[in-house]
Amino acid sequence: MQANVHKLLNQQINKEFYSAYLYLDFSNYFEDAGLDGFANWYKIQAQEERDHAMLFYQYLQNENQKVTLEAIPKPDKVFTCHLDVLKAGLEHEEYVTALINEIYAAAYEVKDFRTMQFLDWFVKEQGEEETNAHDLITKMELFGSDPKSLYMLNQELAARVYTAPSLVL
Ligand code: FEO
């Protein structure tokens, strides 16, 4: 595997674990706010991010490439309202999309077709992640200021259940 592609894939393990940590922090925020449905939604989001990290980890292992685990930064955002948390979620997903695109571009440059094929799942996944984050913001903007509607939105998010990723390595 070409050195830069290897470096970026290895970095992405850390970025995905950070995403898990960030969303667990979001979950923690909503737990404190008494919105257990939102807390559930982000806790499941954190589980998905951990899965993403493990997919990058497994891919490198399968390719007989060295994995180096680095320290995961502390989530340090302080929020003053619920909507800001959701907006930070969308911003973070857009950042992750840019990271995936960067790895894809690096793989494309050196004709690493196997890595490109591996990343295809993530390209699609990022589209879904951004849509979900967008939808949450829209719903919060529409219903968040009315306590009864917020209660129902919270109930809706409480129903989210974890499903394992469709990509198996
Ligand atoms: Fe692993 Fe939400 O991107």
Side-chain angles (χ1 to χ4, degrees), residues 64 114 117:
N64 291 309
R114 200 153 51 215
Q117 193 177 45

Side-chain angles (χ1 to χ4, degrees), residues 93-128:
E93 285 307 325
E94 287 169 346
Y95 166 66
V96 174
T97 297
L99 292 174
I100 299 290
N101 288 349
E102 192 189 337
I103 311 172
Y104 207 107
Y108 179 81
E109 207 175 291
V110 297
K111 295 188 168 62
D112 181 348
F113 300 115
R114 200 153 51 215
T115 296
M116 286 160 68
Q117 193 177 45
F118 163 70
L119 289 172
D120 279 338
W121 185 86
F122 285 92
V123 172
K124 188 162 174 280
E125 174 74 5
Q126 281 312 120
E128 288 169 15

Side-chain angles (χ1 to χ4, degrees), residues 35 38 82 140 143-144 146-154:
L35 290 167
F38 284 79
H82 306 333
M140 189 59 127
F143 311 120
D146 172 55
K148 218 185 281 179
S149 306
L150 182 62
Y151 177 80
M152 288 179 75
L153 182 54
N154 186 62

Side-chain angles (χ1 to χ4, degrees), residues 46-86:
Q47 282 176 283
E48 286 196 357
E49 298 300 350
R50 186 206 52 204
D51 289 340
H52 295 170
M54 291 309 294
L55 285 167
F56 281 96
Y57 173 87
Q58 195 58 53
Y59 179 68
L60 284 178
Q61 296 260 332
N62 290 0
E63 295 293 312
N64 291 309
Q65 297 296 313
K66 186 167 171 49
V67 168
T68 308
L69 297 177
E70 304 288 350
I72 302 165
K74 175 183 173 174
D76 58 359
K77 284 191 193 307
V78 179
F79 299 108
T80 50
C81 77
H82 306 333
L83 187 60
D84 282 353
V85 182
L86 310 189

Side-chain angles (χ1 to χ4, degrees), residues 22 26-27 40 80-81 85 120 131 162:
L22 182 71
F26 288 9
S27 180
N40 171 65
T80 50
C81 77
V85 182
D120 279 338
T131 301
Y162 168 75

Side-chain angles (χ1 to χ4, degrees), residues 21-37:
Y21 219 33
L22 182 71
Y23 290 136
L24 199 58
D25 200 38
F26 288 9
S27 180
N28 189 33
Y29 166 92
F30 283 115
E31 201 66 56
D32 287 345
L35 290 167
D36 57 348

